[in-house]
Coordinates of all heavy atoms in Angstrom, one line a residue:
W111 N 24.1 10.1 -11.5 CA 24.8 10.5 -10.3 C 24.0 10.3 -9.0 O 24.6 9.8 -8.0 CB 25.1 12.0 -10.4 CG 25.8 12.7 -9.3 CD1 27.1 12.4 -8.8 CD2 25.3 13.7 -8.4 NE1 27.3 13.2 -7.7 CE2 26.3 14.0 -7.4 CE3 24.1 14.4 -8.4 CZ2 26.1 14.9 -6.4 CZ3 23.9 15.3 -7.4 CH2 24.9 15.6 -6.4
H112 N 22.8 10.6 -9.0 CA 21.9 10.4 -7.9 C 21.8 8.9 -7.6 O 21.8 8.4 -6.4 CB 20.5 10.9 -8.1 CG 20.5 12.4 -8.0 ND1 20.6 13.1 -6.8 CD2 20.3 13.4 -8.9 CE1 20.5 14.4 -7.0 NE2 20.3 14.6 -8.3
A113 N 21.7 8.1 -8.6 CA 21.7 6.6 -8.5 C 23.0 6.1 -7.9 O 23.0 5.1 -7.0 CB 21.4 5.9 -9.8
Q114 N 24.1 6.6 -8.3 CA 25.4 6.2 -7.8 C 25.5 6.5 -6.3 O 26.0 5.6 -5.5 CB 26.5 6.9 -8.5 CG 26.9 6.3 -9.8 CD 28.1 6.9 -10.4 OE1 28.2 8.2 -10.6 NE2 29.1 6.2 -10.7
I115 N 25.0 7.6 -5.8 CA 25.0 8.0 -4.4 C 24.2 6.9 -3.6 O 24.6 6.4 -2.6 CB 24.5 9.4 -4.2 CG1 25.5 10.4 -4.8 CG2 24.3 9.7 -2.7 CD1 25.0 11.8 -4.8
A116 N 23.0 6.6 -4.1 CA 22.1 5.7 -3.4 C 22.8 4.3 -3.4 O 22.7 3.5 -2.4 CB 20.8 5.6 -4.1
T117 N 23.4 3.9 -4.5 CA 24.1 2.6 -4.6 C 25.2 2.5 -3.6 O 25.3 1.5 -2.9 CB 24.7 2.4 -6.0 OG1 23.6 2.6 -7.0 CG2 25.3 1.1 -6.1
G118 N 26.0 3.6 -3.5 CA 27.1 3.6 -2.5 C 26.6 3.5 -1.1 O 27.2 2.7 -0.2
K119 N 25.5 4.1 -0.7 CA 25.0 4.0 0.6 C 24.4 2.7 0.9 O 24.4 2.3 2.1 CB 23.8 5.1 0.8 CG 24.2 6.5 0.8 CD 23.1 7.4 0.8 CE 22.1 7.2 1.9 NZ 20.9 8.1 1.9
N120 N 24.1 1.9 -0.1 CA 23.4 0.6 0.2 C 24.2 -0.6 -0.4 O 23.6 -1.6 -0.8 CB 22.0 0.7 -0.5 CG 21.1 1.7 0.2 OD1 20.7 1.4 1.4 ND2 20.9 2.8 -0.4
A121 N 25.5 -0.5 -0.3 CA 26.4 -1.6 -0.8 C 27.2 -2.2 0.3 O 28.3 -2.7 0.1 CB 27.3 -1.1 -1.9
Y122 N 26.6 -2.1 1.6 CA 27.3 -2.7 2.7 C 26.2 -3.6 3.4 O 25.3 -3.1 4.1 CB 27.7 -1.6 3.7 CG 28.6 -2.0 4.8 CD1 29.7 -2.8 4.6 CD2 28.3 -1.6 6.1 CE1 30.5 -3.2 5.7 CE2 29.1 -2.0 7.2 CZ 30.2 -2.8 7.0 OH 31.0 -3.2 8.0
Y123 N 26.4 -4.9 3.2 CA 25.3 -5.8 3.6 C 25.9 -7.2 3.7 O 27.0 -7.5 3.2 CB 24.2 -5.8 2.5 CG 24.7 -6.1 1.1 CD1 24.9 -7.4 0.7 CD2 25.0 -5.1 0.3 CE1 25.4 -7.6 -0.6 CE2 25.5 -5.3 -1.0 CZ 25.7 -6.6 -1.4 OH 26.2 -6.8 -2.7
D124 N 25.2 -8.1 4.3 CA 25.5 -9.5 4.5 C 25.1 -10.2 3.2 O 23.9 -10.4 3.0 CB 24.9 -10.1 5.7 CG 25.3 -11.6 6.0 OD1 25.7 -12.3 5.0 OD2 25.2 -12.0 7.1
P125 N 26.0 -10.7 2.4 CA 25.6 -11.4 1.1 C 24.7 -12.6 1.3 O 23.9 -12.9 0.4 CB 26.9 -11.8 0.5 CG 27.9 -10.9 1.1 CD 27.5 -10.7 2.5
R126 N 24.8 -13.3 2.4 CA 23.9 -14.4 2.6 C 22.5 -14.0 2.7 O 21.6 -14.6 2.2 CB 24.4 -15.1 3.9 CG 25.7 -15.8 3.8 CD 26.2 -16.2 5.2 NE 26.5 -15.0 6.0 CZ 27.0 -15.1 7.3 NH1 27.3 -16.2 7.8 NH2 27.2 -13.9 8.0
K127 N 22.2 -12.8 3.4 CA 20.9 -12.3 3.5 C 20.3 -11.8 2.2 O 19.2 -11.9 1.9 CB 20.8 -11.3 4.6 CG 21.1 -11.8 6.0 CD 21.0 -10.8 7.1 CE 21.2 -11.4 8.5 NZ 21.1 -10.3 9.5
L128 N 21.2 -11.2 1.4 CA 20.8 -10.7 0.1 C 20.4 -11.9 -0.8 O 19.4 -11.8 -1.5 CB 21.9 -9.9 -0.6 CG 21.6 -9.5 -2.0 CD1 20.4 -8.6 -2.0 CD2 22.8 -8.8 -2.6
A129 N 21.2 -13.0 -0.7 CA 20.8 -14.2 -1.5 C 19.4 -14.7 -1.1 O 18.6 -15.1 -2.0 CB 21.9 -15.3 -1.3
E130 N 19.1 -14.7 0.2 CA 17.8 -15.2 0.7 C 16.7 -14.2 0.1 O 15.6 -14.7 -0.3 CB 17.8 -15.2 2.2 CG 18.7 -16.3 2.8 CD 18.8 -16.1 4.3 OE1 18.2 -15.1 4.9 OE2 19.5 -16.9 4.9
L131 N 17.0 -12.9 0.2 CA 16.0 -11.9 -0.3 C 15.8 -12.1 -1.8 O 14.6 -12.2 -2.3 CB 16.5 -10.5 -0.1 CG 15.8 -9.4 -0.8 CD1 14.4 -9.3 -0.2 CD2 16.5 -8.1 -0.6
R132 N 16.8 -12.3 -2.6 CA 16.7 -12.5 -4.0 C 15.9 -13.7 -4.4 O 15.0 -13.7 -5.2 CB 18.1 -12.5 -4.7 CG 18.0 -12.7 -6.2 CD 19.4 -12.6 -6.8 NE 19.3 -13.0 -8.2 CZ 20.4 -12.9 -9.1 NH1 21.5 -12.5 -8.6 NH2 20.2 -13.2 -10.3
E133 N 16.2 -14.8 -3.6 CA 15.4 -16.1 -3.9 C 13.9 -15.9 -3.6 O 13.1 -16.3 -4.4 CB 16.0 -17.2 -3.0 CG 15.3 -18.5 -3.2 CD 15.9 -19.6 -2.3 OE1 16.8 -19.3 -1.5 OE2 15.5 -20.8 -2.4
R134 N 13.6 -15.1 -2.5 CA 12.2 -14.9 -2.2 C 11.5 -14.0 -3.3 O 10.4 -14.3 -3.7 CB 12.1 -14.2 -0.9 CG 10.7 -13.8 -0.5 CD 10.6 -13.2 0.9 NE 11.3 -12.0 1.1 CZ 11.0 -10.8 0.8 NH1 9.8 -10.7 0.1 NH2 11.7 -9.8 1.0
V135 N 12.2 -13.0 -3.7 CA 11.7 -12.1 -4.8 C 11.5 -12.8 -6.1 O 10.4 -12.6 -6.7 CB 12.6 -10.8 -5.0 CG1 12.2 -10.1 -6.2 CG2 12.6 -9.9 -3.8

């Protein structure tokens, strides 16, 4: 439940920037 709340708060983002982040990680 706590993880779902955090997920919901952090699921609004630019997918292009997430792709760049994932590639770096």
